[in-house]
Amino acid sequence: MSHTPTPPPHHRGQPVAMVDSLPVRALHPSFSSIKHDFMRAHLFLGSHCCLDWRVNLKAAASVTNIHGGGCLGLLAKGDTYHCPLWAVKRYRNCIPIHAGVGLAVVEEEANCSPETMKELLAFLEDDLVHLFDETGIDKRRYERNVEFRDPITRHNTLDGYLFNIQMLRFLFSPIFELQCVKQTGPNEITFWWTMTMEFALLPWRPQMIFTGRTLMGVNPKTGKFRSHVDYWDSLKNNDYFSFEGLMDLLKQFMYYKTPDLETPKYKVLKRTAVYEVRNYEPFIVAETEGDKLTGSKGFNTVTGYIFGRNSKGEKIPMSTPVFTETIDNSTLDVCIQVVLPYRSQLSELPMPLQDNVKIRQVSGGFMAVIKFSGSPTEGYVMEKEREVQVALTRDGLNTKNGFMLARYNDPNQTSTFIMRNEILIPLSNFTMSYDP
């Protein structure tokens, strides 16, 4: 029979550990400790704790074993710390933890000097570009027991950290893009990133995209990195082990047939559970009037232009996707477009022979994009458009009028379940937020 401990009486006047601005009073026989960038507090946890309650931590922290040395778990800013339901009582900003008879021992932790943090910022900007190349990271800047964690992976040694990097290189050929790096705490640096990967073990080599931020904890005594914690933008639960994170990885194994043709160039700045935020470079299209959002009227007209029906009789290379654009959300006024080669200059392109074909430059910019398979019927497309709009409203992003449907495949030669379709919604006054 399992024994459930009973809460002890309230104790007054015990030491209080400050976790950021969050006071914590801890009592219990000593088994582990929490240490974070602002101070080290030994919080005493008993062997009978039922891990069924969470305390939100506002500072980077790790849970380590006092007696045996080894890492029991890794926490970071915004994470949750598990402790017994009966042991925690919330009162305003104070969380007293009464779970035994010990006392909390609080030891103030020094801050890194501004010079050290400035040096580490410059180091990361130079070093992270080598994260997945032959050069690799400079391991001299990391503690031997550096604690690494993302939603589905965890290591607590430098060797484990380096092994994880090499495993990703072998299986996924990742391309890492650093967006921003800045100091976010006395002993903390955060950087934002996009990582694109291809899974080499599957014949269709699915492309996976992750965006997020990484919190790097610094040991003020050595000036080295002691923790690396990843947060994915696509997840609500970034704790280890996150089943949501595993499913987010697996769903990207889905096969979308994408023709080996040139496409408009863009960068993915953020990938959520519903949509991506892409920053498109300007591109040029040949366009004409269409009949409806998912219709094909006008397709032969615009493709005729690239097949030689132009003032020079010149054939222009095919590209993908075919866009259908509506200037409002009613889908009553649409145009169908084919994208012209990336290096085309508007002034050098031949003129169309038909008056109803126009050549123009699309300004690009920030788009919220959802990718989906299946036959792009009018009802299905509008359902997906509404799904994105709901998510954008929830996330506080503003949109412009209208949207675009991108179709990548010939419907006569492609099975519907592997078709690649996308909806692109232009964003208004969008700026990337680099707040931890």
Side-chain angles (χ1 to χ4, degrees), residues 70-105:
C71 180
L72 299 178
L74 182 64
L75 300 171
K77 186 175 294 185
D79 275 7
T80 53
Y81 171 66
H82 296 258
C83 58
L85 176 62
W86 52 261
V88 183
K89 178 182 178 183
R90 182 181 294 273
Y91 179 72
R92 294 184 182 176
N93 290 326
C94 185
I95 302 178
I97 301 178
H98 306 295
V101 293
L103 296 179
V105 180

Side-chain angles (χ1 to χ4, degrees), residues 286-290 295 297-299 302 322-324 335-337 407:
E287 67 178 9
T288 192
E289 183 179 346
K297 178 187 175 183
F299 177 74
V302 288
V322 174
F323 286 116
T324 312
C335 60
I336 191 166
Q337 306 165 338
R407 290 173 284 181

Side-chain angles (χ1 to χ4, degrees), residues 141-160:
R141 287 288 193 174
Y142 295 82
E143 299 278 7
R144 290 176 60 88
N145 62 339
V146 62
E147 298 166 1
F148 169 82
R149 194 207 73 196
D150 67 23
I152 59 176
T153 314
R154 182 170 64 186
H155 299 281
N156 59 2
T157 64
L158 179 58
D159 287 342

Side-chain angles (χ1 to χ4, degrees), residues 361-387:
Q361 180 167 286
V362 178
S363 60
F366 299 107
M367 300 277 189
V369 182
I370 186 173
K371 181 164 64 174
F372 60 99
S373 60
S375 179
T377 62
E378 203 84 0
Y380 189 35
V381 168
M382 294 307 298
E383 177 185 333
K384 287 295 182 180
E385 189 268 342
R386 285 191 295 270
E387 181 182 349

Side-chain angles (χ1 to χ4, degrees), residues 22-48:
L22 184 68
V24 173
R25 184 178 289 113
L27 304 168
H28 208 281
S30 175
F31 273 90
S32 63
S33 68
I34 288 183
K35 56 182 182 177
H36 55 82
D37 286 346
F38 302 101
M39 65 177 58
R40 184 177 296 107
H42 300 297
L43 302 185
F44 302 102
L45 304 177
S47 58
H48 299 293

Side-chain angles (χ1 to χ4, degrees), residues 179-230:
Q179 296 184 24
C180 175
V181 56
K182 68 180 183 180
Q183 183 175 349
T184 51
N187 302 320
E188 178 186 273
I189 293 174
T190 302
F191 60 88
W192 287 259
W193 44 266
T194 298
M195 190 159 66
T196 306
M197 305 187 294
E198 286 188 351
F199 189 38
L201 299 185
L202 292 177
W204 60 92
R205 302 181 69 90
Q207 184 184 79
M208 291 161 285
I209 297 177
F210 296 90
T211 65
R213 70 188 192 280
T214 297
L215 273 62
M216 303 288 288
V218 182
N219 185 339
K221 294 181 180 179
T222 63
K224 295 183 178 182
F225 295 113
R226 63 184 179 190
S227 63
H228 170 136
V229 184
D230 286 346

Side-chain angles (χ1 to χ4, degrees), residues 18 56 152 171 206 213 240 272 285 302 424:
M18 296 298 295
N56 189 276
I152 59 176
L171 292 178
R213 70 188 192 280
Y240 176 86
T272 74
V285 298
V302 288
L424 297 79

